[in-house]
């Protein structure tokens, strides 16, 4: 009996060890899904005009994406030979499901880079269909859909078009009017041509708004400056960490300069907001105030918040009055705003690219783009005619301000690097990890940036 | 102390007084505090589930809702098709538990009772399948099931459970091998075949182990997100985790935490119920195996 008890105990121990091993193995194996090449592409049936075909649109399972289901009945009425099916996945699983669908020979027809990976990653994995011939055959012209020509160029590589823009987010500043009123500070301007609106003036204003108190409920900060993804931020001050060829060859930089003095100085200026000027919150404070996915600005604890225009979509629910303003001038005369233009892409394994293209064209018509604003709860259209409706969408915010901010952002905008650089999900993860000790004040930029430079080079060569 | 003794009424046993020692009070207080700390997140979950959307964003957060938004519990059925999700999850989890119990108990019985050549080799081979992480088999399995036309059905989520799970087989095998040989000898004398011995001797005596396996299998299936995401594509076939993940899926919107908490509270109910039931089984099982 005693022996049996003993063996049982060993068995339990072994079981624990094995479970542990399985868990560890699980962590290491996460990448394997992405490396599998696309499987068989099925019969090359392009679908004649009379025959009925079904195309699938793969998107994120959230209300601001799945609203397209409501557009389908109208489209199917106009195109009786095309049926549209929407396939969806939660954000976190978006990439794995897409990879699996493609590898399993069930590739969707239309999608966008809604997951962690950006356009360049899809392009370099050879997942995308070259739309150039389709466009020529169809006689598609961007101006018919009021899409600015410079936006079409974003998803054109070496003269070949791979994506049609559908939504355009920009970087803008949201400010808490109540907090400005209480501190007696004048509102920031929405006009990009107002030369007095500089980074330094923003810091001065922020100082007047900041209250640091032992009581966490009373503490508030002047500004939260989350301009673009971490690797892109030097650009705001005029420093360029990636070599020029990145933007023309499909997102593979031949050189990076993350350890250059200009880049380090740019990062230093941003971290000074937290540690020297003390007008921005530390990341720990933000997390404790706003929770995991949250934003301390929404909780009413931040005066000015620079970030993506998606923050506007929730503004009708904020418990305070909100205004929009231009991103201040930081030393770069050409770029002040990051653009996040989401394209619609046709996947290479699509069996019905022609019909998929019809669906894409439908989604960017002025009428549908206007309707989509309301249905999605405030997605910014790429169609400039529909944009007029978008500017009026937000309660209590002057449409004129939104318009000025948007037009200025496009004029002084640059497409977000996360869409343009290859292996970006890995670059971004690495940046988050490596900059962590700087954000908490445990390491200096001089220590960290050479490591980042080395790691970026490795990731790009993968 | 002498005064204490003096005021003690006659006939009162002194044992009662001695029972409440300071150590006991201290340990009891410590337990109370720990219990309170453990229950705090749970309490906060329920409390958040009853807050309005505006109150949910407040900082510092309120402990109790200012106004009790019971309507959240009705809203979740509209925003998420919660009833359908719940039903789907229950169907899948139910079949998975049944399948896992049936197949794992049979295989484990074989491993525990038979001494054949290469026995340990096969067992090690079985255990080594535990080392394979899901992403490694994800794509081959998807190709297999898609060729069987099983995409967008519950089959890929249920059928694999009927083919055993290494961890549970291992767990049950260890339990079966502790059952006394004499019982089976007695069975054999009475003319039992192996299957009957499995059903009438091994299974009833293994209630604790079976309950553990059932709980594991249920929780695994109930919480599984990736597999349903991969195989299901119509919204009316989605499971609870898929629906709940969709609430936090937008990078551009503030997640409706209050509704998510409602969903979590409701999703917890079957697990708590199952645990309550299985726990009773667990105790009974130990009583029944009196022979040990």
């Amino acid at each position: 009996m005693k022996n049996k008890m003993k063996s049982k105990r060993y068995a339990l121990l072994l079981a624990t060890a094995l479970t542990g091993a399985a868990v560890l193995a699980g962590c290491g194996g996460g990448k394997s899904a992405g490396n599998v090449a696309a499987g068989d592409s099925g019969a090359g049936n392009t679908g004649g005009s009379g025959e009925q075909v079904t195309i699938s649109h793969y998107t994120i399972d959230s209300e601001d994406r799945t609203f397209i289901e409501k557009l389908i009945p109208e489209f199917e009425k106009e195109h009786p030979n095309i049926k549209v099916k929407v396939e969806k996945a939660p954000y976190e699983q978006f990439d794995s499901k897409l990879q699996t669908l493609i590898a399993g020979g069930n590739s969707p027809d239309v999608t966008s880079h809604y997951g962690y990976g950006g356009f360049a990653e899809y392009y370099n994995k050879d997942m995308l269909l070259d739309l150039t011939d389709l466009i020529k055959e169809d006689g598609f012209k961007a101006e018919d859909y009021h899409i600015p020509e410079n936006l079409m160029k974003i998803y054109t590589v070496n003269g070949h078009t791979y994506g049609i823009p559908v939504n355009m987010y920009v970087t803008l500043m949201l400010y808490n009017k109540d907090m400005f009123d209480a501190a007696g500070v004048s509102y920031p301007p929405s006009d990009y041509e107002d030369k007095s609106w500089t980074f330094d003036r923003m810091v001065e204003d922020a100082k007047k708004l900041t209250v640091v108190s032992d009581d966490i409920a009373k503490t508030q900060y002047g500004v939260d400056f989350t301009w673009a993804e971490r690797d892109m931020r030097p650009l705001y001050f005029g420093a360029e960490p990636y070599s020029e060829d990145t933007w023309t060859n499909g997102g593979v930089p031949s050189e990076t300069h993350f350890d250059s003095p200009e880049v380090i100085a740019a990062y230093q200026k941003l971290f000074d907001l937290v540690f020297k000027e003390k007008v921005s919150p530390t990341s720990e404070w933000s997390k404790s105030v706003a929770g995991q996915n949250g934003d301390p600005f929404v909780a009413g604890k931040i005066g000015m918040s620079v970030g993506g225009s998606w923050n506007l979509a929730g503004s009708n629910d904020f418990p305070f009055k909100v205004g929009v303003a231009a991103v201040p001038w930081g030393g770069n005369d050409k770029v002040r705003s990051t653009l996040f233009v989401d394209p619609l892409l046709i996947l290479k394994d699509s069996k019905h690219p022609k019909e998929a293209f019809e669906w894409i064209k439908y989604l960017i018509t002025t009428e549908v783009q206007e309707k989509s604003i309301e249905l999605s709860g405030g997605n910014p259209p790429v169609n400039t005619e529909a944009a007029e409706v978008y500017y009026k969408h937000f309660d209590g915010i002057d449409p004129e301000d939104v318009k000025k901010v948007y037009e200025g952002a496009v004029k002084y905008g640059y497409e977000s690097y996360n869409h343009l650089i290859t292996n970006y999900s890995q670059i971004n993860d690495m940046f988050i990890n490596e900059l962590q000790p700087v954000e908490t004040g445990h390491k200096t930029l001089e220590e960290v940036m050479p490591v980042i430079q080395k790691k970026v080079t490795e990731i790009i060569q993968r | 102390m002498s005064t204490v003794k003096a005021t003690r009424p006659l006939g009162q046993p002194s044992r009662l007084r001695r029972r409440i020692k300071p150590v006991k009070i201290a340990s009891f207080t410590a337990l109370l505090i720990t219990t309170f700390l453990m229950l705090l997140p749970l309490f906060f979950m329920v409390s958040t589930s009853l807050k309005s959307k505006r109150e949910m964003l407040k900082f510092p957060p309120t402990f109790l809702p200012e106004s009790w938004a019971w309507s959240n519990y009705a809203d979740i059925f509209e925003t998420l098709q919660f009833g359908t999700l719940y039903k789907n999850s229950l169907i899948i989890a139910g079949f998975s538990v049944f399948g896992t119990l049936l197949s794992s108990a049979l295989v484990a019985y074989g491993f525990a009772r038979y001494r054949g050549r290469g026995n340990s080799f096969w067992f090690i081979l079985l255990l080594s399948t535990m080392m394979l992480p899901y992403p490694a088999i994800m794509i081959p399995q998807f190709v297999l099931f898609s060729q069987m036309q099983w995409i967008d059905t519950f089959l890929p989520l249920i059928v694999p459970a009927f083919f055993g799970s290494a961890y549970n087989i291992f767990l049950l095998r260890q339990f079966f091998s502790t059952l006394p040989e004499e019982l089976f000898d007695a069975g054999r004398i009475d003319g039992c075949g192996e299957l009957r011995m499995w059903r009438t001797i091994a299974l009833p005596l293994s209630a604790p182990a079976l309950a553990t396996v059932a709980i594991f299998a249920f929780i695994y299936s109930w919480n599984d997100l990736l597999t349903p995401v991969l195989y299901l594509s119509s919204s009316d076939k989605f499971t609870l985790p898929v629906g709940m993940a969709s609430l936090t899926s937008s990078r551009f919107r503030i997640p409706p935490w209050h509704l998510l908490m409602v969903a979590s509270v409701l999703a917890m109910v079957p697990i708590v119920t199952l645990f309550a039931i299985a726990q009773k089984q667990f105790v009974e099982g130990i009583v029944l195996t009196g022979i040990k």
Side-chain angles (χ1 to χ4, degrees):
Chain A
M1 222 64 217
K2 212 175 178 190
N3 259 342
K4 269 186 182 154
M5 285 286 284
K6 214 171 183 182
S7 72
K8 220 170 160 187
R9 207 171 300 151
Y10 280 126
L12 197 72
L13 205 74
L14 185 64
T16 323
L18 283 172
T19 323
V23 168
L24 284 179
C27 292
K31 245 178 282 154
S32 56
N35 299 336
V36 177
D40 88 296
S41 53
N45 179 10
T46 24
S49 52
E51 180 188 356
Q52 176 151 117
V53 298
T54 302
I55 56 168
S56 62
H57 184 137
Y58 179 57
T59 192
I60 295 214
D61 189 7
S62 69
E63 278 176 85
D64 56 341
R65 297 283 173 221
T66 51
F67 72 91
I68 51 169
E69 286 176 331
K70 295 179 190 142
L71 301 169
I72 294 173
E74 194 68 27
F75 174 79
E76 287 181 347
K77 217 189 280 168
E78 284 173 35
H79 302 82
N81 64 323
I82 310 175
K83 287 243 169 292
V84 183
K85 206 177 111 210
V86 175
E87 286 220 47
K88 40 203 171 177
Y91 173 62
E92 296 287 329
Q93 283 75 27
F94 184 85
D95 289 330
S96 356
K97 177 158 178 168
L98 181 60
Q99 298 286 351
T100 315
L101 285 173
I102 292 176
N106 287 6
S107 170
D109 299 283
V110 179
T111 189
S112 184
H113 52 198
Y114 291 139
Y116 283 104
F119 166 80
E121 205 155 323
Y122 290 6
Y123 170 80
N124 285 304
K125 276 186 182 157
D126 202 18
M127 285 158 63
L128 304 176
L129 185 77
D130 181 355
L131 305 178
T132 319
D133 291 343
L134 266 178
I135 288 174
K136 220 179 271 163
E137 204 181 311
D138 184 84
F140 172 87
K141 277 198 198 75
E143 69 232 42
D144 294 345
Y145 297 88
H146 306 280
I147 301 175
E149 204 49 50
N150 60 330
L151 298 187
M152 281 301 292
K153 276 192 201 125
I154 298 172
Y155 298 111
T156 300
V157 183
N158 296 329
H160 292 264
T161 306
Y162 290 88
I164 310 285
V166 63
N167 288 125
M168 179 180 62
Y169 297 90
V170 302
T171 303
L172 45 72
M173 172 183 278
L174 290 184
Y175 60 94
N176 183 331
K177 281 188 172 170
D178 296 354
M179 206 187 273
F180 272 78
D181 291 343
V185 182
S186 60
Y187 297 152
S190 58
D191 186 0
Y192 269 77
E193 307 306 330
D194 184 338
K195 299 287 176 216
S196 70
W197 185 228
T198 61
F199 187 80
D200 293 333
R201 200 187 123 198
M202 177 191 77
V203 175
E204 288 313 308
D205 284 355
K207 277 182 187 158
K208 292 176 206 153
L209 298 166
T210 303
V211 178
V212 179
S213 153
D214 288 339
D215 181 358
I216 192 162
K218 287 198 184 111
T219 300
Q220 60 181 45
Y221 286 97
V223 63
D224 197 3
F225 199 86
T226 39
W227 194 88
E229 301 287 0
R230 289 167 176 75
D231 62 323
M232 191 174 176
R233 291 180 192 162
L235 184 66
Y236 174 75
F237 298 101
E240 178 50 89
Y242 295 100
S243 55
E244 262 315 299
D245 55 359
T246 315
W247 322 120
T248 49
N249 71 359
V252 189
S254 56
E255 262 180 275
T256 58
H257 314 286
F258 281 101
D259 49 359
S260 77
E262 298 80 44
V263 170
I264 293 180
Y267 280 114
Q268 193 60 56
K269 233 173 160 177
L270 287 178
F271 282 110
D272 279 351
L273 290 175
V274 180
F275 298 110
K276 200 171 131 210
E277 318 280 1
K278 298 197 193 317
V279 292
S280 289
T282 59
S283 52
E284 297 103 315
W285 186 87
S286 297
K287 276 199 188 108
S288 67
V289 165
Q292 206 193 357
N293 274 8
D295 177 347
F297 179 76
V298 174
K301 299 289 163 188
I302 303 281
M304 297 172 270
S305 166
V306 172
S309 54
W310 47 83
N311 293 335
L312 257 180
S315 67
N316 294 357
D317 288 324
F318 293 171
F320 49 84
K321 285 205 286 302
V322 196
V324 289
V327 176
W329 176 83
N332 187 336
D333 288 328
K334 286 202 188 109
V335 182
R336 270 162 76 176
S337 179
T338 328
L339 305 180
F340 302 86
V341 177
D342 285 331
L344 287 171
L345 313 162
I346 300 183
L347 291 164
K348 202 169 203 170
D349 293 347
S350 164
K351 284 158 198 155
H352 310 289
K354 241 191 215 164
E355 287 77 6
F357 196 65
E358 285 299 319
W359 168 241
I360 290 180
K361 282 195 303 183
Y362 179 75
L363 290 176
I364 53 175
T365 53
T366 307
E367 192 200 338
V368 174
Q369 287 250 300
E370 279 176 1
K371 230 195 281 178
S372 305
I373 300 165
E374 192 59 45
L375 287 175
S376 64
N379 281 6
V382 76
N383 182 320
T384 48
E385 217 173 77
E388 296 294 333
V389 177
Y390 173 76
Y391 301 146
K392 297 188 193 99
H393 182 77
F394 306 98
D395 299 348
I397 300 180
D398 186 356
E400 210 39 50
D401 281 341
V402 185
K403 185 175 179 171
K404 273 189 201 156
V405 163
Y406 245 83
E407 285 175 352
V410 174
K411 189 171 170 197
Y412 297 100
Y414 203 91
E415 181 61 17
S416 171
Y417 288 0
N418 73 325
H419 297 159
L420 301 179
I421 294 173
T422 193
N423 294 336
Y424 198 84
S425 40
Q426 293 167 44
I427 294 181
N428 198 33
D429 277 351
M430 185 274 291
F431 258 89
I432 293 172
N433 291 333
E434 295 299 327
L435 280 180
Q436 182 82 22
V438 186
E439 279 165 23
T440 53
H442 289 94
K443 271 192 185 167
T444 64
L445 281 164
E446 284 76 11
E447 289 173 89
V448 167
M449 293 319 290
V451 181
I452 289 185
Q453 164 68 11
K454 206 176 124 243
K455 290 198 171 172
V456 169
T457 317
E458 281 167 18
I459 293 174
I460 284 165
Q461 282 162 0
R462 260 174 217 166
Chain B
M1 274 319 261
S2 60
T3 48
V4 174
K5 261 181 191 165
T7 52
R8 174 161 56 90
L10 281 171
Q12 184 91 7
S14 58
R15 253 187 27 231
L16 247 183
R17 221 158 249 268
R18 233 186 293 140
R19 228 166 45 188
I20 320 171
K21 276 187 188 158
V23 185
K24 279 222 162 155
I25 295 175
S27 63
F28 198 71
T29 323
L31 279 176
L32 262 182
I33 292 171
T34 326
T35 313
F36 178 73
L37 285 178
M38 300 291 256
L39 286 177
L40 198 62
L42 207 69
F43 169 81
F44 206 70
M45 179 168 100
V46 178
S47 142
T48 309
S49 78
L50 291 167
K51 285 177 187 171
S52 67
K53 192 171 180 187
R54 225 159 232 264
E55 198 182 340
M56 162 197 101
L57 297 176
K58 263 199 174 166
F59 185 85
T62 46
F63 206 61
L64 281 171
E66 282 162 359
S67 58
W68 300 72
W70 292 103
S71 58
N72 289 349
Y73 279 77
D75 289 350
I76 191 86
F77 284 87
E78 277 159 34
T79 35
L80 261 192
Q81 303 178 282
F82 199 71
T84 316
L85 298 178
Y86 216 88
K87 192 189 76 199
N88 294 344
S89 271
L90 277 179
I91 293 174
I92 293 170
F95 278 107
S96 295
V97 169
F98 177 70
T100 310
L101 280 177
L102 187 76
S103 58
S104 302
L106 255 181
V107 177
Y109 184 75
F111 273 119
R113 302 277 314 147
Y114 288 101
R115 306 273 168 269
R117 193 174 292 167
N119 201 338
S120 53
F121 168 75
W122 293 114
F123 194 58
I124 287 169
L125 193 71
L126 173 88
L127 288 185
S128 65
T129 61
M130 276 166 58
M131 306 284 183
L132 272 180
Y134 182 65
I137 58 163
M138 189 164 93
I139 289 174
Q141 211 178 51
F142 184 84
V143 173
L144 174 76
F145 288 141
S146 80
Q147 273 167 10
M148 291 164 91
Q149 306 283 324
W150 281 7
I151 303 300
D152 207 21
T153 68
F154 291 162
L155 290 173
L157 308 173
I158 292 172
V159 173
F162 284 83
F163 288 83
S165 101
Y167 180 73
N168 291 324
I169 291 172
F170 173 71
L171 209 124
L172 286 172
R173 187 199 97 124
Q174 296 316 110
F175 198 87
F176 286 155
S177 47
T178 64
L179 295 176
E181 193 61 37
E182 293 85 348
L183 281 177
F184 294 97
D185 289 343
R188 210 165 282 134
I189 289 166
D190 285 346
C192 275
E194 282 297 341
L195 260 184
R196 186 147 176 224
M197 284 201 284
W198 171 72
R199 199 166 53 81
T200 54
I201 300 175
L203 287 191
L205 289 179
S206 309
L210 293 174
T212 313
V213 168
I215 291 179
F216 280 163
F218 186 84
I219 291 180
Y220 180 80
S221 162
W222 192 252
N223 290 341
D224 189 17
L225 173 59
L226 190 56
T227 337
V229 161
L230 289 183
Y231 288 108
L232 306 175
S233 51
S234 331
S235 322
D236 61 336
K237 294 208 176 81
F238 281 177
T239 61
L240 267 183
V242 183
M244 281 162 75
S246 76
L247 289 181
T248 55
S249 268
S250 176
R251 284 173 301 158
F252 303 154
R253 304 290 154 83
I254 308 158
W257 292 117
H258 57 310
L259 291 182
L260 201 66
M261 289 304 136
V262 173
S264 308
V265 169
L266 294 176
M268 221 175 56
V269 172
I271 295 189
V272 174
T273 319
L274 183 79
F275 194 77
I277 296 170
Q279 201 183 26
K280 199 169 153 249
Q281 278 296 116
F282 195 90
V283 177
E284 262 174 23
I286 291 170
V287 176
L288 281 175
T289 43
I291 194 159
K292 277 167 80 183

